[in-house]
Amino acid sequence: MDQRPVRDRTGRGVRALARRLLGRVEGDSPTPRRSNPDAVVDCAVYVNGRREPGQQHYADAYARARHGRDAFVWLGLHDPGPAVLAAVGQTFGLDELTVEQALADGHRPTVQRHGPVTLLVLRTAGYVEHDELTDTSEVIDTGDVMVLLADRFAITVRHGAAGALRSVRADIERRPALLAAGPWAVAYAVCARMVDSYLEVAGHVERDLERVEEAVFARDRTADIQHIYQLKREVVEFKRAVLPLQAPMRTLLDPDGPPRALHRWFVDVDGRLSRAVDRVAAYDDLLTSIVQSRLAQLAVEQNNDMRKIAAWAAIAATQTGIAGIYGMNFDHMPELAWRYGYAGALTLMAAAALFLYRLFRRSGWL
């Protein structure tokens, strides 16, 4: 009996939010975040783990799921705009804070509960193919996906190009026994795919690291320090997507989390996430060591250059000293009236230069 007033208040709050958001878009505010006018990727009703045939509007699908037994609706959105999310929030009874969080991107992985709705945020990651690593190469593309869960619906909101969920839906639809567990089965499928993508990206990054390591320790040392720094930045971005998911995943293993039937599946995801975390942390440490090694190499190369410069400066200073002495305009100087004085001075200069060159060459300065 009390549900209708609460729903009406929620609807008014979401409509007010939509008016504010649309006003910011149409006003003199900064350029709005990207949005997708056709944000609805797919919407379906599932009964006992099997998809109902036909295409329905999400409002009709939700009404069907609410009146059906063992039924729920899965709505998939990609880069929705404020108007779309406001309408979705009004239909599914989402509060204003939940709609605001789903509209923005760039969240850290987390699990939050807003009344009967659970919000699960994960970071997406995709490897960007490139012929060679430069100081501006984009190696890893990241985004986020939010999963809103309740008794009768699962809403996935994806921001960014990485982490497409069409294949996730297709895979879990072939497992009706698992999908029969309800909306939390959708959360498991999304978590499993995100962790699998982390491991896949980690494999590609490992090959980039091997090439960089070979270039740094090769004889010709062709690795540019800027290229290493760029890869380091990309790995740090990847690390920020993977490591913070550990705490939310532990939360999902609590007794108050997903249904008991899905517990072992989330345990499996947590194990794979641990492997991904270990690999990313190892890559970050390895890149730090590579950067330090390259900086040490640069310091050695600079020291060698300074020694060469100092050696040639010493040879030039010897010639300058001899020429300066014999260039003095004194009346009484040794060998001043000697017939072979000029040739003797040149010979002395050449002999001094040759002696110093051989000395520096033997010591490794030249």
Side-chain angles (χ1 to χ4, degrees), residues 7-315:
R7 189 169 62 250
D8 291 341
R9 288 196 298 270
T10 304
R12 287 196 297 271
V14 175
R15 286 194 294 271
L17 170 64
R19 286 194 295 271
R20 292 201 304 270
L21 292 174
L22 289 173
R24 288 204 296 264
V25 171
E26 296 172 355
D28 296 331
S29 60
T31 303
R33 188 185 63 79
R34 66 183 185 275
S35 63
N36 181 8
D38 300 324
V40 177
V41 179
D42 197 358
C43 180
V45 177
Y46 298 88
V47 180
N48 291 322
R50 299 189 181 277
R51 178 169 180 158
E52 292 288 288
Q55 295 289 336
Q56 303 182 59
H57 189 271
Y58 57 81
D60 299 331
Y62 185 46
R64 166 74 178 86
R66 291 177 63 188
H67 293 89
R69 184 178 180 182
D70 297 328
F72 73 94
V73 59
W74 180 1
L75 172 63
L77 303 174
H78 180 214
D79 284 335
V84 173
L85 267 182
V88 170
Q90 181 177 356
T91 300
F92 290 89
L94 304 178
D95 59 37
E96 184 174 337
L97 177 60
T98 304
V99 174
E100 286 184 343
Q101 288 180 322
L103 182 64
D105 54 1
H107 294 289
R108 286 175 60 88
T110 184
V111 174
Q112 300 178 6
R113 290 182 173 87
H114 303 276
V117 179
T118 300
L119 172 63
L120 172 62
V121 181
L122 303 97
R123 298 289 294 174
T124 62
Y127 183 77
V128 180
E129 296 290 344
H130 50 274
D131 295 332
E132 61 179 4
L133 186 65
T134 66
D135 54 357
T136 58
S137 295
E138 185 179 7
V139 180
I140 301 172
D141 182 24
T142 59
D144 59 58
V145 59
M146 303 180 184
V147 185
L148 301 168
L149 303 167
D151 291 337
R152 294 291 183 173
F153 66 81
I155 304 174
T156 54
V157 183
R158 181 168 62 93
H159 299 289
L165 300 178
R166 286 187 181 273
S167 59
V168 177
R169 186 187 292 262
D171 290 343
I172 198 170
E173 285 179 353
R174 291 192 289 267
R175 305 167 67 183
L178 183 61
L179 197 55
W184 276 101
V186 176
Y188 157 72
V190 174
C191 291
R193 178 54 56 88
M194 294 303 106
V195 173
D196 288 343
S197 68
Y198 298 158
L199 293 172
E200 181 181 354
V201 172
H204 291 290
V205 172
E206 184 176 3
R207 287 191 288 271
D208 284 336
L209 279 170
E210 290 174 354
R211 288 194 291 266
V212 169
E213 191 174 18
E214 290 175 358
V216 168
F217 295 103
R219 291 183 179 274
D220 53 358
R221 295 174 184 174
T222 58
D224 192 339
I225 189 66
Q226 298 298 329
H227 300 172
I228 304 175
Y229 276 132
Q230 177 62 20
L231 185 57
K232 175 71 172 179
R233 284 191 292 266
E234 295 293 311
V235 170
V236 168
E237 181 181 358
F238 187 32
K239 182 179 178 181
R240 290 173 179 171
V242 177
L243 267 65
L245 184 57
Q246 289 181 293
M249 190 59 62
R250 296 289 191 274
T251 302
L252 294 179
L253 299 179
D254 293 340
D256 297 334
R260 189 65 182 174
L262 294 173
H263 184 268
R264 65 189 184 95
W265 297 100
F266 279 99
V267 171
D268 177 69
V269 173
D270 183 64
R272 283 180 285 165
L273 176 62
S274 298
R275 293 199 300 270
V277 168
D278 292 340
R279 294 182 67 178
V280 174
Y283 296 161
D284 188 40
D285 294 339
L286 178 58
L287 265 175
T288 300
S289 300
I290 291 176
V291 170
Q292 293 175 349
S293 298
R294 185 56 183 149
L295 290 176
Q297 290 176 352
L298 291 176
V300 171
E301 292 172 359
Q302 291 175 353
N303 185 49
N304 291 335
D305 292 340
M306 291 302 299
R307 290 195 301 179
K308 292 179 181 179
I309 293 173
W312 286 113
I315 295 174

Side-chain angles (χ1 to χ4, degrees), residues 327-347:
M328 296 179 181
N329 295 321
F330 292 110
D331 292 335
H332 303 285
M333 291 182 64
E335 295 88 22
L336 186 62
W338 185 32
R339 179 177 180 181
Y340 301 103
Y342 178 71
L346 293 180
T347 302

